[in-house]
Amino acid sequence: MFYLLPLLTVSIWAGNAIVNKLSISVIDPGAIAFYRWFFAMLVLTPFLAKSIWQHRKTIKPYLPKLAFLSLLGMVLNQSLGYFAAATTTATNMALIISLVPLISMFLSVPLLSKRLSPLAIVGAILSLGGLVLMLSHGNLNQLAAQGITQGDGLLLIAAFVYALYCVLLKRWQMPLTNWQSVYVQGVLAVIMLFPMFLNSERMAITAEAFPLVMYAAMLGSLIAPWCWLLGIQRLGADRTAMFMNLMPVITALIASVVLNEQLESYHYIGGVMVLSGVALAQKKVKARQQKMATA
């Protein structure tokens, strides 16, 4: 039963890519990014407001760090995904975001003083090769001549930003619970996203936009993190993290049905290379941790 927790989380995150694509025609990216965290924080307020107020003196010194984390993980990462959806596919979105664990490993070298294993480097090369194959549509000459799409470029930035967010969360150990940290970051995100919301032309929550906004706010921002944290508690971080490799597969299956996205041979080959590279690097890290634990 515990394995259903990370599986449900990854399935919800896979659905986010579909929501991003469907939202393009009904609501502006700035508006849905704002609504996502506004409604999520509205739901959390009755449960966390009292705790936040009681611990305000503890939280206050960490507000600059929490604000920067909010900017990375909840403002830039989410907003870039919504803007990218206009010029890329849901499948590409999931495959590029699946690189986050690998990018995090490399960022951990300067920020957490971690060492890269040889397999991590091999995995990075393999994933990079798969990414290039996918973004070039199987034609490297086309990639050299035309470059990547704007959406793919924005997603690469989003993946880097979120990887930095994850690493900084580990570097900046704060005396807050996970939900206290999420709540403060979410409130700060609502404040930072408000100007972009005001500049949106399509900000009304229409009948078509409502289910998309609610999916992003309730499932993507609340249920998925809750299930993920429970999965980590029950299964451990290593086994839970491996479920991330399923996200592009689930996204591609949903996108083929809901969005009629067609998978080409370069998607299969490039996708296998990307996921194999990430899994290879993670496997070595896990093995090294187990060796250290028994030493």
Side-chain angles (χ1 to χ4, degrees), residues 89 91-92 95 98 126-127 129-138 245 248-257 260-277:
T89 64
T91 302
N92 276 22
L95 281 169
S98 70
L126 183 61
S127 291
L131 184 65
V132 170
L133 179 66
M134 183 186 67
L135 296 182
S136 67
H137 294 185
N245 297 330
V249 178
I250 299 173
T251 302
L253 292 174
I254 300 174
S256 64
V257 176
N260 294 318
E261 289 187 3
Q262 299 298 318
L263 294 179
E264 305 294 341
S265 58
Y266 58 79
H267 282 119
Y268 293 107
I269 299 173
V272 169
M273 290 174 65
V274 168
L275 298 179
S276 298

mmCIF file of all heavy atoms in Angstrom, residues 89 91-92 95 98 126-127 129-138 245 248-257 260-277:
data_model
loop_
_atom_site.group_PDB
_atom_site.id
_atom_site.type_symbol
_atom_site.label_atom_id
_atom_site.label_comp_id
_atom_site.label_asym_id
_atom_site.label_seq_id
_atom_site.Cartn_x
_atom_site.Cartn_y
_atom_site.Cartn_z
ATOM 1 N N THR A 89 5.668 20.185 -26.038
ATOM 2 C CA THR A 89 4.679 19.135 -25.791
ATOM 3 C C THR A 89 4.710 18.723 -24.323
ATOM 4 O O THR A 89 5.690 18.950 -23.605
ATOM 5 C CB THR A 89 4.971 17.904 -26.657
ATOM 6 O OG1 THR A 89 6.241 17.349 -26.274
ATOM 7 C CG2 THR A 89 5.005 18.276 -28.130
ATOM 8 N N THR A 91 4.913 15.711 -23.308
ATOM 9 C CA THR A 91 5.938 14.667 -23.197
ATOM 10 C C THR A 91 7.310 15.280 -22.980
ATOM 11 O O THR A 91 8.088 14.826 -22.128
ATOM 12 C CB THR A 91 5.940 13.794 -24.462
ATOM 13 O OG1 THR A 91 4.641 13.219 -24.653
ATOM 14 C CG2 THR A 91 6.967 12.687 -24.351
ATOM 15 N N ASN A 92 7.637 16.319 -23.762
ATOM 16 C CA ASN A 92 8.915 17.000 -23.583
ATOM 17 C C ASN A 92 9.024 17.616 -22.192
ATOM 18 O O ASN A 92 10.083 17.592 -21.561
ATOM 19 C CB ASN A 92 9.079 18.094 -24.641
ATOM 20 C CG ASN A 92 9.609 17.558 -25.957
ATOM 21 O OD1 ASN A 92 9.479 16.365 -26.238
ATOM 22 N ND2 ASN A 92 10.193 18.416 -26.764
ATOM 23 N N LEU A 95 9.893 14.859 -19.690
ATOM 24 C CA LEU A 95 11.235 14.330 -19.873
ATOM 25 C C LEU A 95 12.303 15.314 -19.393
ATOM 26 O O LEU A 95 13.284 14.918 -18.758
ATOM 27 C CB LEU A 95 11.478 13.972 -21.342
ATOM 28 C CG LEU A 95 10.890 12.643 -21.815
ATOM 29 C CD1 LEU A 95 10.955 12.515 -23.324
ATOM 30 C CD2 LEU A 95 11.627 11.475 -21.158
ATOM 31 N N SER A 98 12.346 15.549 -15.651
ATOM 32 C CA SER A 98 12.892 14.341 -15.032
ATOM 33 C C SER A 98 14.403 14.433 -14.824
ATOM 34 O O SER A 98 14.998 13.602 -14.129
ATOM 35 C CB SER A 98 12.566 13.105 -15.887
ATOM 36 O OG SER A 98 13.305 13.116 -17.103
ATOM 37 N N LEU A 126 24.855 10.111 -20.640
ATOM 38 C CA LEU A 126 23.795 9.339 -21.289
ATOM 39 C C LEU A 126 22.499 10.147 -21.351
ATOM 40 O O LEU A 126 21.832 10.201 -22.400
ATOM 41 C CB LEU A 126 23.567 8.035 -20.519
ATOM 42 C CG LEU A 126 22.525 7.057 -21.100
ATOM 43 C CD1 LEU A 126 22.937 6.608 -22.490
ATOM 44 C CD2 LEU A 126 22.365 5.849 -20.173
ATOM 45 N N SER A 127 22.132 10.797 -20.245
ATOM 46 C CA SER A 127 20.911 11.607 -20.210
ATOM 47 C C SER A 127 21.009 12.791 -21.156
ATOM 48 O O SER A 127 20.039 13.141 -21.839
ATOM 49 C CB SER A 127 20.644 12.096 -18.784
ATOM 50 O OG SER A 127 20.280 11.035 -17.944
ATOM 51 N N GLY A 129 22.795 13.008 -23.863
ATOM 52 C CA GLY A 129 22.669 12.506 -25.226
ATOM 53 C C GLY A 129 21.219 12.243 -25.595
ATOM 54 O O GLY A 129 20.770 12.577 -26.701
ATOM 55 N N GLY A 130 20.470 11.654 -24.671
ATOM 56 C CA GLY A 130 19.049 11.406 -24.922
ATOM 57 C C GLY A 130 18.263 12.693 -25.056
ATOM 58 O O GLY A 130 17.356 12.799 -25.898
ATOM 59 N N LEU A 131 18.603 13.697 -24.242
ATOM 60 C CA LEU A 131 17.922 14.987 -24.312
ATOM 61 C C LEU A 131 18.181 15.668 -25.650
ATOM 62 O O LEU A 131 17.263 16.210 -26.279
ATOM 63 C CB LEU A 131 18.399 15.884 -23.166
ATOM 64 C CG LEU A 131 17.719 17.243 -23.035
ATOM 65 C CD1 LEU A 131 16.242 17.077 -22.693
ATOM 66 C CD2 LEU A 131 18.409 18.090 -21.976
ATOM 67 N N VAL A 132 19.434 15.642 -26.103
ATOM 68 C CA VAL A 132 19.779 16.241 -27.396
ATOM 69 C C VAL A 132 19.045 15.532 -28.527
ATOM 70 O O VAL A 132 18.511 16.173 -29.445
ATOM 71 C CB VAL A 132 21.309 16.182 -27.625
ATOM 72 C CG1 VAL A 132 21.654 16.560 -29.057
ATOM 73 C CG2 VAL A 132 22.017 17.103 -26.647
ATOM 74 N N LEU A 133 18.987 14.216 -28.470
ATOM 75 C CA LEU A 133 18.282 13.454 -29.503
ATOM 76 C C LEU A 133 16.806 13.820 -29.540
ATOM 77 O O LEU A 133 16.225 14.009 -30.616
ATOM 78 C CB LEU A 133 18.444 11.958 -29.232
ATOM 79 C CG LEU A 133 17.744 11.008 -30.219
ATOM 80 C CD1 LEU A 133 18.374 11.132 -31.597
ATOM 81 C CD2 LEU A 133 17.835 9.567 -29.721
ATOM 82 N N MET A 134 16.203 13.953 -28.362
ATOM 83 C CA MET A 134 14.776 14.276 -28.289
ATOM 84 C C MET A 134 14.497 15.695 -28.765
ATOM 85 O O MET A 134 13.568 15.936 -29.545
ATOM 86 C CB MET A 134 14.291 14.095 -26.857
ATOM 87 C CG MET A 134 12.806 14.334 -26.655
ATOM 88 S SD MET A 134 12.360 14.255 -24.915
ATOM 89 C CE MET A 134 13.218 15.702 -24.280
ATOM 90 N N LEU A 135 15.294 16.655 -28.304
ATOM 91 C CA LEU A 135 15.060 18.056 -28.663
ATOM 92 C C LEU A 135 15.367 18.334 -30.135
ATOM 93 O O LEU A 135 14.831 19.285 -30.712
ATOM 94 C CB LEU A 135 15.904 18.977 -27.780
ATOM 95 C CG LEU A 135 15.580 18.945 -26.278
ATOM 96 C CD1 LEU A 135 16.451 19.940 -25.528
ATOM 97 C CD2 LEU A 135 14.109 19.248 -26.037
ATOM 98 N N SER A 136 16.229 17.514 -30.741
ATOM 99 C CA SER A 136 16.547 17.698 -32.153
ATOM 100 C C SER A 136 15.577 16.961 -33.060
ATOM 101 O O SER A 136 15.703 17.027 -34.280
ATOM 102 C CB SER A 136 17.970 17.208 -32.424
ATOM 103 O OG SER A 136 18.055 15.797 -32.260
ATOM 104 N N HIS A 137 14.628 16.247 -32.451
ATOM 105 C CA HIS A 137 13.673 15.426 -33.212
ATOM 106 C C HIS A 137 14.401 14.386 -34.057
ATOM 107 O O HIS A 137 13.961 14.041 -35.157
ATOM 108 C CB HIS A 137 12.786 16.294 -34.103
ATOM 109 C CG HIS A 137 11.887 17.188 -33.324
ATOM 110 N ND1 HIS A 137 10.920 17.986 -33.919
ATOM 111 C CD2 HIS A 137 11.792 17.449 -31.993
ATOM 112 C CE1 HIS A 137 10.289 18.682 -32.991
ATOM 113 N NE2 HIS A 137 10.805 18.364 -31.818
ATOM 114 N N GLY A 138 15.524 13.912 -33.545
ATOM 115 C CA GLY A 138 16.290 12.898 -34.250
ATOM 116 C C GLY A 138 17.162 13.440 -35.352
ATOM 117 O O GLY A 138 17.789 12.671 -36.089
ATOM 118 N N ASN A 245 11.175 8.502 -12.033
ATOM 119 C CA ASN A 245 11.492 8.031 -13.379
ATOM 120 C C ASN A 245 10.255 7.562 -14.149
ATOM 121 O O ASN A 245 10.306 7.394 -15.368
ATOM 122 C CB ASN A 245 12.512 6.893 -13.311
ATOM 123 C CG ASN A 245 13.837 7.338 -12.718
ATOM 124 O OD1 ASN A 245 14.224 8.496 -12.858
ATOM 125 N ND2 ASN A 245 14.537 6.446 -12.048
ATOM 126 N N PRO A 248 7.694 10.646 -16.865
ATOM 127 C CA PRO A 248 7.582 10.838 -18.320
ATOM 128 C C PRO A 248 6.751 9.753 -18.992
ATOM 129 O O PRO A 248 6.039 10.027 -19.966
ATOM 130 C CB PRO A 248 9.040 10.795 -18.788
ATOM 131 C CG PRO A 248 9.842 11.136 -17.580
ATOM 132 C CD PRO A 248 9.092 10.553 -16.433
ATOM 133 N N VAL A 249 6.850 8.526 -18.497
ATOM 134 C CA VAL A 249 6.084 7.420 -19.084
ATOM 135 C C VAL A 249 4.591 7.650 -18.888
ATOM 136 O O VAL A 249 3.793 7.537 -19.839
ATOM 137 C CB VAL A 249 6.508 6.077 -18.444
ATOM 138 C CG1 VAL A 249 5.678 4.937 -19.030
ATOM 139 C CG2 VAL A 249 7.985 5.829 -18.643
ATOM 140 N N ILE A 250 4.199 8.006 -17.661
ATOM 141 C CA ILE A 250 2.785 8.256 -17.372
ATOM 142 C C ILE A 250 2.284 9.465 -18.147
ATOM 143 O O ILE A 250 1.174 9.450 -18.702
ATOM 144 C CB ILE A 250 2.583 8.464 -15.853
ATOM 145 C CG1 ILE A 250 2.998 7.207 -15.082
ATOM 146 C CG2 ILE A 250 1.122 8.807 -15.546
ATOM 147 C CD1 ILE A 250 2.986 7.373 -13.579
ATOM 148 N N THR A 251 3.107 10.505 -18.215
ATOM 149 C CA THR A 251 2.717 11.711 -18.958
ATOM 150 C C THR A 251 2.497 11.405 -20.430
ATOM 151 O O THR A 251 1.520 11.859 -21.032
ATOM 152 C CB THR A 251 3.796 12.804 -18.822
ATOM 153 O OG1 THR A 251 4.001 13.110 -17.446
ATOM 154 C CG2 THR A 251 3.387 14.074 -19.561
ATOM 155 N N ALA A 252 3.421 10.640 -21.017
ATOM 156 C CA ALA A 252 3.298 10.304 -22.436
ATOM 157 C C ALA A 252 2.023 9.513 -22.710
ATOM 158 O O ALA A 252 1.337 9.737 -23.720
ATOM 159 C CB ALA A 252 4.524 9.512 -22.889
ATOM 160 N N LEU A 253 1.681 8.589 -21.809
ATOM 161 C CA LEU A 253 0.458 7.792 -21.989
ATOM 162 C C LEU A 253 -0.790 8.676 -21.916
ATOM 163 O O LEU A 253 -1.700 8.563 -22.740
ATOM 164 C CB LEU A 253 0.391 6.702 -20.924
ATOM 165 C CG LEU A 253 1.435 5.585 -21.029
ATOM 166 C CD1 LEU A 253 1.338 4.649 -19.830
ATOM 167 C CD2 LEU A 253 1.248 4.805 -22.326
ATOM 168 N N ILE A 254 -0.824 9.583 -20.925
ATOM 169 C CA ILE A 254 -1.978 10.474 -20.780
ATOM 170 C C ILE A 254 -2.056 11.437 -21.961
ATOM 171 O O ILE A 254 -3.136 11.690 -22.515
ATOM 172 C CB ILE A 254 -1.899 11.265 -19.463
ATOM 173 C CG1 ILE A 254 -1.889 10.316 -18.269
ATOM 174 C CG2 ILE A 254 -3.085 12.226 -19.345
ATOM 175 C CD1 ILE A 254 -1.667 11.006 -16.942
ATOM 176 N N ALA A 255 -0.896 11.989 -22.369
ATOM 177 C CA ALA A 255 -0.864 12.968 -23.457
ATOM 178 C C ALA A 255 -1.316 12.349 -24.785
ATOM 179 O O ALA A 255 -1.954 13.011 -25.609
ATOM 180 C CB ALA A 255 0.539 13.546 -23.603
ATOM 181 N N SER A 256 -0.994 11.069 -24.987
ATOM 182 C CA SER A 256 -1.398 10.420 -26.232
ATOM 183 C C SER A 256 -2.908 10.268 -26.317
ATOM 184 O O SER A 256 -3.488 10.278 -27.416
ATOM 185 C CB SER A 256 -0.727 9.049 -26.345
ATOM 186 O OG SER A 256 -1.182 8.186 -25.312
ATOM 187 N N VAL A 257 -3.569 10.155 -25.167
ATOM 188 C CA VAL A 257 -5.028 9.992 -25.139
ATOM 189 C C VAL A 257 -5.737 11.344 -25.088
ATOM 190 O O VAL A 257 -6.655 11.616 -25.874
ATOM 191 C CB VAL A 257 -5.448 9.135 -23.924
ATOM 192 C CG1 VAL A 257 -6.968 9.057 -23.837
ATOM 193 C CG2 VAL A 257 -4.846 7.742 -24.016
ATOM 194 N N ASN A 260 -3.711 13.876 -27.864
ATOM 195 C CA ASN A 260 -3.399 13.276 -29.167
ATOM 196 C C ASN A 260 -1.954 13.527 -29.596
ATOM 197 O O ASN A 260 -1.664 13.699 -30.787
ATOM 198 C CB ASN A 260 -4.354 13.810 -30.253
ATOM 199 C CG ASN A 260 -5.781 13.370 -30.015
ATOM 200 O OD1 ASN A 260 -6.035 12.223 -29.656
ATOM 201 N ND2 ASN A 260 -6.718 14.288 -30.190
ATOM 202 N N GLU A 261 -1.043 13.556 -28.627
ATOM 203 C CA GLU A 261 0.365 13.717 -28.958
ATOM 204 C C GLU A 261 0.903 12.388 -29.498
ATOM 205 O O GLU A 261 0.702 11.341 -28.900
ATOM 206 C CB GLU A 261 1.179 14.151 -27.733
ATOM 207 C CG GLU A 261 0.911 15.583 -27.299
ATOM 208 C CD GLU A 261 1.847 16.042 -26.198
ATOM 209 O OE1 GLU A 261 2.748 15.258 -25.817
ATOM 210 O OE2 GLU A 261 1.692 17.181 -25.723
ATOM 211 N N GLN A 262 1.597 12.481 -30.620
ATOM 212 C CA GLN A 262 2.140 11.280 -31.249
ATOM 213 C C GLN A 262 3.592 11.089 -30.842
ATOM 214 O O GLN A 262 4.397 12.021 -30.905
ATOM 215 C CB GLN A 262 2.040 11.392 -32.779
ATOM 216 C CG GLN A 262 0.617 11.539 -33.301
ATOM 217 C CD GLN A 262 -0.253 10.340 -32.961
ATOM 218 O OE1 GLN A 262 0.198 9.193 -33.074
ATOM 219 N NE2 GLN A 262 -1.475 10.582 -32.540
ATOM 220 N N LEU A 263 3.915 9.891 -30.401
ATOM 221 C CA LEU A 263 5.288 9.583 -30.026
ATOM 222 C C LEU A 263 6.048 9.041 -31.229
ATOM 223 O O LEU A 263 5.590 8.127 -31.904
ATOM 224 C CB LEU A 263 5.308 8.556 -28.895
ATOM 225 C CG LEU A 263 4.728 9.024 -27.555
ATOM 226 C CD1 LEU A 263 4.807 7.892 -26.536
ATOM 227 C CD2 LEU A 263 5.469 10.239 -27.037
ATOM 228 N N GLU A 264 7.217 9.651 -31.484
ATOM 229 C CA GLU A 264 8.075 9.209 -32.578
ATOM 230 C C GLU A 264 9.202 8.350 -32.010
ATOM 231 O O GLU A 264 9.385 8.247 -30.800
ATOM 232 C CB GLU A 264 8.652 10.422 -33.324
ATOM 233 C CG GLU A 264 7.612 11.399 -33.843
ATOM 234 C CD GLU A 264 6.739 10.814 -34.938
ATOM 235 O OE1 GLU A 264 7.153 9.800 -35.547
ATOM 236 O OE2 GLU A 264 5.652 11.360 -35.183
ATOM 237 N N SER A 265 9.979 7.766 -32.916
ATOM 238 C CA SER A 265 11.058 6.880 -32.476
ATOM 239 C C SER A 265 12.077 7.620 -31.614
ATOM 240 O O SER A 265 12.623 7.056 -30.656
ATOM 241 C CB SER A 265 11.759 6.272 -33.699
ATOM 242 O OG SER A 265 12.274 7.289 -34.549
ATOM 243 N N TYR A 266 12.328 8.921 -31.924
ATOM 244 C CA TYR A 266 13.310 9.661 -31.137
ATOM 245 C C TYR A 266 12.804 9.924 -29.714
ATOM 246 O O TYR A 266 13.612 10.086 -28.795
ATOM 247 C CB TYR A 266 13.679 10.976 -31.829
ATOM 248 C CG TYR A 266 12.535 11.916 -32.115
ATOM 249 C CD1 TYR A 266 11.991 12.723 -31.129
ATOM 250 C CD2 TYR A 266 12.012 12.011 -33.409
ATOM 251 C CE1 TYR A 266 10.938 13.592 -31.394
ATOM 252 C CE2 TYR A 266 10.962 12.877 -33.681
ATOM 253 C CZ TYR A 266 10.439 13.664 -32.680
ATOM 254 O OH TYR A 266 9.395 14.520 -32.949
ATOM 255 N N HIS A 267 11.490 9.945 -29.528
ATOM 256 C CA HIS A 267 10.957 10.067 -28.172
ATOM 257 C C HIS A 267 11.292 8.818 -27.351
ATOM 258 O O HIS A 267 11.720 8.914 -26.192
ATOM 259 C CB HIS A 267 9.435 10.234 -28.206
ATOM 260 C CG HIS A 267 8.980 11.619 -28.561
ATOM 261 N ND1 HIS A 267 8.219 11.887 -29.670
ATOM 262 C CD2 HIS A 267 9.193 12.812 -27.953
ATOM 263 C CE1 HIS A 267 7.961 13.187 -29.727
ATOM 264 N NE2 HIS A 267 8.542 13.767 -28.698
ATOM 265 N N TYR A 268 11.078 7.646 -27.969
ATOM 266 C CA TYR A 268 11.348 6.398 -27.256
ATOM 267 C C TYR A 268 12.837 6.249 -26.939
ATOM 268 O O TYR A 268 13.213 5.964 -25.796
ATOM 269 C CB TYR A 268 10.875 5.201 -28.094
ATOM 270 C CG TYR A 268 9.380 5.114 -28.268
ATOM 271 C CD1 TYR A 268 8.781 5.422 -29.476
ATOM 272 C CD2 TYR A 268 8.572 4.711 -27.211
ATOM 273 C CE1 TYR A 268 7.401 5.345 -29.638
ATOM 274 C CE2 TYR A 268 7.188 4.624 -27.355
ATOM 275 C CZ TYR A 268 6.607 4.944 -28.579
ATOM 276 O OH TYR A 268 5.245 4.868 -28.723
ATOM 277 N N ILE A 269 13.686 6.458 -27.963
ATOM 278 C CA ILE A 269 15.130 6.273 -27.769
ATOM 279 C C ILE A 269 15.682 7.325 -26.810
ATOM 280 O O ILE A 269 16.388 7.005 -25.848
ATOM 281 C CB ILE A 269 15.870 6.342 -29.127
ATOM 282 C CG1 ILE A 269 15.370 5.230 -30.061
ATOM 283 C CG2 ILE A 269 17.378 6.226 -28.912
ATOM 284 C CD1 ILE A 269 15.922 5.316 -31.467
ATOM 285 N N GLY A 270 15.341 8.594 -27.076
ATOM 286 C CA GLY A 270 15.826 9.665 -26.212
ATOM 287 C C GLY A 270 15.295 9.551 -24.804
ATOM 288 O O GLY A 270 16.027 9.777 -23.826
ATOM 289 N N GLY A 271 14.022 9.180 -24.668
ATOM 290 C CA GLY A 271 13.426 9.039 -23.339
ATOM 291 C C GLY A 271 14.080 7.936 -22.531
ATOM 292 O O GLY A 271 14.363 8.104 -21.343
ATOM 293 N N VAL A 272 14.356 6.795 -23.175
ATOM 294 C CA VAL A 272 15.027 5.687 -22.491
ATOM 295 C C VAL A 272 16.431 6.103 -22.055
ATOM 296 O O VAL A 272 16.879 5.777 -20.947
ATOM 297 C CB VAL A 272 15.080 4.445 -23.400
ATOM 298 C CG1 VAL A 272 16.013 3.385 -22.812
ATOM 299 C CG2 VAL A 272 13.685 3.871 -23.581
ATOM 300 N N MET A 273 17.129 6.853 -22.901
ATOM 301 C CA MET A 273 18.475 7.317 -22.561
ATOM 302 C C MET A 273 18.442 8.272 -21.364
ATOM 303 O O MET A 273 19.263 8.168 -20.450
ATOM 304 C CB MET A 273 19.117 8.000 -23.771
ATOM 305 C CG MET A 273 19.474 7.066 -24.905
ATOM 306 S SD MET A 273 20.067 7.945 -26.388
ATOM 307 C CE MET A 273 21.602 8.669 -25.761
ATOM 308 N N VAL A 274 17.494 9.210 -21.383
ATOM 309 C CA VAL A 274 17.377 10.180 -20.281
ATOM 310 C C VAL A 274 17.093 9.465 -18.966
ATOM 311 O O VAL A 274 17.777 9.677 -17.954
ATOM 312 C CB VAL A 274 16.269 11.214 -20.573
ATOM 313 C CG1 VAL A 274 15.954 12.030 -19.319
ATOM 314 C CG2 VAL A 274 16.698 12.147 -21.700
ATOM 315 N N LEU A 275 16.088 8.606 -18.968
ATOM 316 C CA LEU A 275 15.687 7.935 -17.733
ATOM 317 C C LEU A 275 16.735 6.934 -17.260
ATOM 318 O O LEU A 275 16.960 6.790 -16.058
ATOM 319 C CB LEU A 275 14.343 7.228 -17.932
ATOM 320 C CG LEU A 275 13.161 8.144 -18.266
ATOM 321 C CD1 LEU A 275 11.890 7.328 -18.457
ATOM 322 C CD2 LEU A 275 12.960 9.166 -17.164
ATOM 323 N N SER A 276 17.394 6.273 -18.199
ATOM 324 C CA SER A 276 18.448 5.325 -17.821
ATOM 325 C C SER A 276 19.622 6.053 -17.175
ATOM 326 O O SER A 276 20.204 5.577 -16.198
ATOM 327 C CB SER A 276 18.934 4.548 -19.048
ATOM 328 O OG SER A 276 17.888 3.785 -19.610
ATOM 329 N N GLY A 277 19.954 7.219 -17.718
ATOM 330 C CA GLY A 277 21.044 8.001 -17.152
ATOM 331 C C GLY A 277 20.741 8.474 -15.746
ATOM 332 O O GLY A 277 21.587 8.393 -14.848
#
